[in-house]
Structures are given as C-alpha cells and as structure tokens.
Amino acid sequence: MLAAMSNETTPVRKAVMPVAGLGTRFLPTTRSVPKILIPILNVPVIEYAVREVVNSGITDIAIVMSRGMEEVVGYFGERRELVDILEERGRTELAAMQRDIASLARIETIYQDEPRGLGHAVLMARDFVASEPFVVVLPDDVIWSDVPATRQLIDVRTAQGGGSVIAALEVPDDVVSSKGIIDGEEISDGVFSVSGMVEKPALEDAPSNLSIIGRYVLEPAVFDYLEEEHTGAGGEIQLTDAIEATIGRLPVHACRFTGHHADTGNPGGMLEAALYEAGKDEGLRELVRAAISEWE
Ligand code: UTP
C-alpha cells in the first residue's frame, strides 16, 4: 500500500543517520573505532551532523549502526563524573560544553545487522520514522554553512509543496564516475526538478555534474520500495533507487546548497576538513603554514 504523503507544512522532526558501513577507507582505525567518532581536530564527525540537524529543527535522531558501535550514541551520554571533576577543578566552561553535548536531542540506536546498502540501513528505521517526513544525513559529509544544509533542504521542500529533496553539489569531471549523479532541470536558482539519478556513471553517460551529497529530506513513501528489498548497483539496496521510484507520484527536487563541503569518509577529505577548521584560528594557521614550509 502507498504510504500517505505528508503535507508540505508538516514539520520535519526526525533524522536518520546511517553509519553501519564498513569504513574500509579508514582501515586500520575502523577495526575498533567507528569512522564517525574520528575527530576533525578535537570534535568527532558525528557531533557536526547532530548539531546541524538540531539547528535545522530536528528533535529526534536514530543512528543506524552495526553491533559494537554503541559508543557512537554513548558519546552523547551525560558523563556525570567527568562533568563533576571538571567543575571541582574550576573548568566551568568545559563542563558546560559537556552538558550541552548530552542535551542536544533524543538519540536512539537502531541496528543494521548486515551492511546490505544505504537503502537497507534506512529501511531499518521504518518504525522510528512512522508516517512523517524525515531527513537522512550521512555524517561523513560535513557541511559548514550559515543556514544549516539540512534546513536549506527542508525550506526547499516547503517551497515546492512537499516531496523529497536531495542535496547536490557541482563536481569536476574527473570525479563524476565515482559519485551518484542527478538528472534534472533547474527550475529556480539552485533548485532542480529531478527526473532521474544514476550511480557512478561513465563521464560520457553522465546527465550532469551534479553530485548527490549525503543529505535527503524524504517522504515515508520511500519505504514502499525499500520494503521490496530490490538490489541495485553493487548488489546493494540503494536509497537513490527508492527515491527514483517515487518520481511521477511525488515531487523530487535537488538543492544545490550553499556552504563548504568535505567528505571526511576518506583520509584526504578528513585532512581537508581539519585544514578548513584550522583556517578559523590564527594560531593553527601559523602552525599549518610552518609545517608546510618544511616540505620543500
Ligand atoms: P559508504 O559508501 O561511505 O561506505 O557509505 P562505508 O562503508 O561507510 O565506507 P567505505 O566506502 O568502506 O570506506 C555511505 C554511508 O552509508 C552508510 C555508511 O555508514 C555511510 O554513512 N551505510 C552504507 C550503512 O549504514 N549501511 C550499509 O549497508 C552501507
């Protein structure tokens, strides 16, 4: 049966963060540390994602993980003993920061027992989502922006009368064949009506240079397709296939968000993210400049 489409005015309150992948590009660290607990300088990637969605109006978050990754949700726990010690030592600001981390949102754990693809990970959150519009955030994709990227997508959904919205970014030709690429028509500045999506196309077959980035606002109607467990590219259950299956029945848009993006799911992207953060601090800028000057 077709899940009912929520109205464009239905507030988007729930976020699903799938993090159950193997993280092979971060081996050997991911033998024991979940990829999203690796920090950009001193703040783990997952905290960026949680803050972004909270600043976008989300109150409830489900983190879809594999067994053994519980510390990801544990990170957002109270840590009362630590806070007491910090206070005893007069580190009140640091103590307040710890309390803030523990009060950001309601965060729950959902398990995906086998890594059968992003679509399958989202399917595991079906009961959590129930019948509301929701966002999917891939925390590896870190986005710095004045208006949080998730909020930009929710605003496009409202303006377009509901349906799904996918985050998009123009990428250079040489990376097109490693990305999910959007086929669509720009209907207003940075907003595209989506007619299709293709996973990792050869450059000559790519319909555009518009790459899918890990932020989606979705209708619960995507579960109709995910429940059928179709395997797509790479033998995995693909979220993009489920979104594509709703085209024609529901609006599907892409939003070329404004902001700075880094893919922290690989060491190079993580380095880029660390340099971006370092650029905000004069002391760290000097440190980076001095380190680079040693290269030649
Ligand atoms: P990636 O393609 O980045 O895969 O998944 P990965 O396993 O995390 O990393 P590599 O490629 O082996 O280095 C995109 C997102 O989808 C999640 C991942 O955790 C990541 O957030 N995912 C992927 C799942 O939750 N379950 C899956 O079965 C597959």
Side-chain angles (χ1 to χ4, degrees):
M1 211 194 64
L2 231 172
M5 181 180 157
S6 42
N7 188 285
E8 74 272 17
T9 56
T10 310
V12 183
R13 302 180 304 126
K14 293 179 179 174
V16 176
M17 297 189 182
V19 305
L22 296 174
T24 53
R25 287 167 295 168
F26 253 111
L27 281 169
T29 299
T30 45
R31 286 159 62 94
S32 63
V33 178
K35 184 169 60 170
I36 44 154
L37 286 182
I38 301 174
I40 302 172
L41 302 182
N42 60 327
V43 177
V45 164
I46 188 68
E47 187 179 324
Y48 282 84
V50 167
R51 287 195 184 277
E52 178 187 317
V53 298
V54 167
N55 291 334
S56 302
I58 299 293
T59 53
D60 292 78
I61 300 171
I63 302 188
V64 183
M65 63 180 72
S66 55
R67 301 207 184 249
M69 286 183 144
E70 290 74 19
E71 262 316 293
V72 173
V73 172
Y75 175 80
F76 295 97
E78 283 198 22
R79 295 286 189 273
R80 215 168 275 163
E81 277 179 28
L82 170 67
V83 172
D84 287 348
I85 292 172
L86 289 171
E87 270 171 352
E88 271 164 39
R89 295 183 181 176
R91 311 285 305 271
T92 44
E93 206 178 317
L94 203 52
M97 281 162 73
Q98 308 317 305
R99 261 195 241 99
D100 177 53
I101 290 170
S103 66
L104 286 171
R106 284 186 289 271
I107 303 180
E108 64 180 79
T109 300
I110 292 178
Y111 289 109
Q112 182 194 24
D113 283 323
E114 276 178 278
R116 294 176 61 196
L118 176 58
H120 182 254
V122 172
L123 176 60
M124 299 299 103
R126 180 184 33 193
D127 291 346
F128 164 81
V129 168
S131 56
E132 297 183 26
F134 65 108
V135 302
V136 170
V137 170
L138 306 189
D140 288 359
D141 279 319
V142 177
I143 302 170
W144 293 261
S145 53
D146 293 336
V147 177
T150 297
R151 185 74 240 168
Q152 295 180 42
L153 265 61
I154 293 172
D155 289 345
V156 169
R157 176 182 191 276
T158 307
Q160 298 301 327
S164 299
V165 185
I166 305 161
L169 194 66
E170 302 274 358
V171 294
D173 284 354
D174 59 323
V175 297
V176 162
S177 63
S178 62
K179 303 282 180 191
I181 298 292
I182 290 167
D183 190 0
E185 187 195 339
E186 191 160 4
I187 55 170
S188 62
D189 192 23
V191 178
F192 298 76
S193 174
V194 176
S195 51
M197 284 167 280
V198 29
E199 277 301 323
K200 305 186 170 122
L203 181 59
E204 55 276 21
D205 301 329
S208 73
N209 279 46
L210 213 52
S211 162
I212 300 170
I213 301 296
R215 302 285 184 281
Y216 312 77
V217 184
L218 300 175
E219 293 288 340
V222 293
F223 290 115
D224 296 340
Y225 184 90
L226 292 176
E227 273 167 4
E228 292 167 8
E229 303 200 3
H230 303 273
T231 46
E236 296 195 327
I237 300 174
Q238 297 285 353
L239 183 62
T240 43
D241 291 345
I243 301 169
E244 208 166 22
T246 68
I247 294 175
R249 289 190 286 139
L250 300 175
V252 179
H253 291 92
C255 166
R256 192 175 54 217
F257 61 88
T258 53
H260 181 82
H261 164 257
D263 175 3
T264 65
N266 65 84
M270 182 61 92
L271 176 63
E272 194 203 318
L275 289 172
Y276 186 78
E277 279 294 356
K280 297 179 188 173
D281 179 282
E282 198 39 55
L284 290 174
R285 286 170 83 104
E286 269 315 307
L287 200 136
V288 171
R289 278 194 203 100
I292 291 175
S293 72
E294 303 262 311
W295 284 358
E296 299 306 329

